[in-house]
Amino acid sequence: MENLKDRVQILRALGCTAILITDGDGIVTYVDAEYFRSVVGLEEKDLVGKSAYVLEAEQLIKPVLATKVIATKAPVTEISNLRGNYQNIGEAFPLFDENGKIKEILSYSRDMVFETEVSKKYMKLLSEIDLMKLNDEDSQENWSIVGEGLKTYN
């Protein structure tokens, strides 16, 4: 159980929410109880011990990325639009035992709003820097000294 707490703590430190962990067969062993209660409207008891396949079939959670990981034995990433402009990126990846069998699947989401806002601010800053460079080049190349203290724009 201590390893589980460590994995959850690392995922939270990386800004992950909606943490859902299953065993290698897709049985839910851990959920981010606060997230699923407040955002999805499900209690921890509604999820832990249940099959990811059943949760998906009953559309309690859709999609359950763990089912895709089991099918492909590879990490899965999906971007979904929720509630209008709200974007969410869901990721899941398998942890294998020494025999190459999936022993656990870690699934989580990250809110794209923050990342999108940072990206927009970064692009705006780059545009402003480019504009400043153009203005600086413009002022140096296109101005001529006419007389002492007088300049004209060419």
Side-chain angles (χ1 to χ4, degrees):
M1 188 63 144
E2 196 60 34
N3 289 333
L4 174 64
K5 289 180 183 177
D6 292 342
R7 287 190 293 282
V8 170
Q9 186 176 7
I10 289 168
L11 291 172
R12 286 180 197 247
L14 293 171
C16 301
T17 60
I19 300 167
L20 185 141
I21 299 175
T22 70
D23 65 15
D25 296 320
I27 303 301
V28 177
T29 58
Y30 174 86
V31 295
D32 180 346
E34 178 59 32
Y35 176 88
F36 282 96
R37 182 181 313 106
S38 62
V39 177
V40 182
L42 295 171
E43 296 294 329
E44 184 176 16
K45 66 180 176 52
D46 299 326
L47 303 167
V48 174
K50 303 281 172 70
S51 166
Y53 297 99
V54 171
L55 295 174
E56 196 168 53
E58 293 177 355
Q59 297 190 0
L60 292 173
I61 303 174
K62 191 165 175 87
V64 180
L65 297 180
T67 60
K68 293 180 181 187
V69 170
I70 292 169
T72 63
K73 296 188 187 309
V76 174
T77 301
E78 287 190 1
I79 296 175
S80 57
N81 291 314
L82 306 170
R83 294 179 299 225
N85 293 331
Y86 177 77
Q87 282 192 318
N88 191 50
I89 185 166
E91 298 179 294
F93 61 93
L95 299 178
F96 296 96
D97 65 16
E98 59 279 350
N99 298 318
K101 184 180 178 203
I102 297 175
K103 66 178 180 178
E104 193 171 55
I105 300 166
L106 306 179
S107 306
Y108 54 87
S109 294
R110 285 184 288 127
D111 182 355
M112 295 294 290
V113 171
F114 175 75
E115 293 170 11
T116 302
E117 289 302 315
V118 169
S119 178
K120 285 180 184 176
K121 288 178 182 178
Y122 178 71
M123 295 307 291
K124 182 179 178 194
L125 181 60
L126 287 179
S127 295
E128 289 173 1
I129 290 170
D130 286 344
L131 185 59
M132 288 173 24
K133 285 180 183 177
L134 286 174
N135 287 340
D136 190 44
E137 290 170 7
D138 193 40
S139 64
Q140 292 174 11
E141 294 173 7
N142 294 318
W143 288 92
S144 300
I145 298 177
V146 177
E148 192 171 326
L150 298 173
K151 293 181 181 180
T152 60
Y153 186 75
N154 298 328

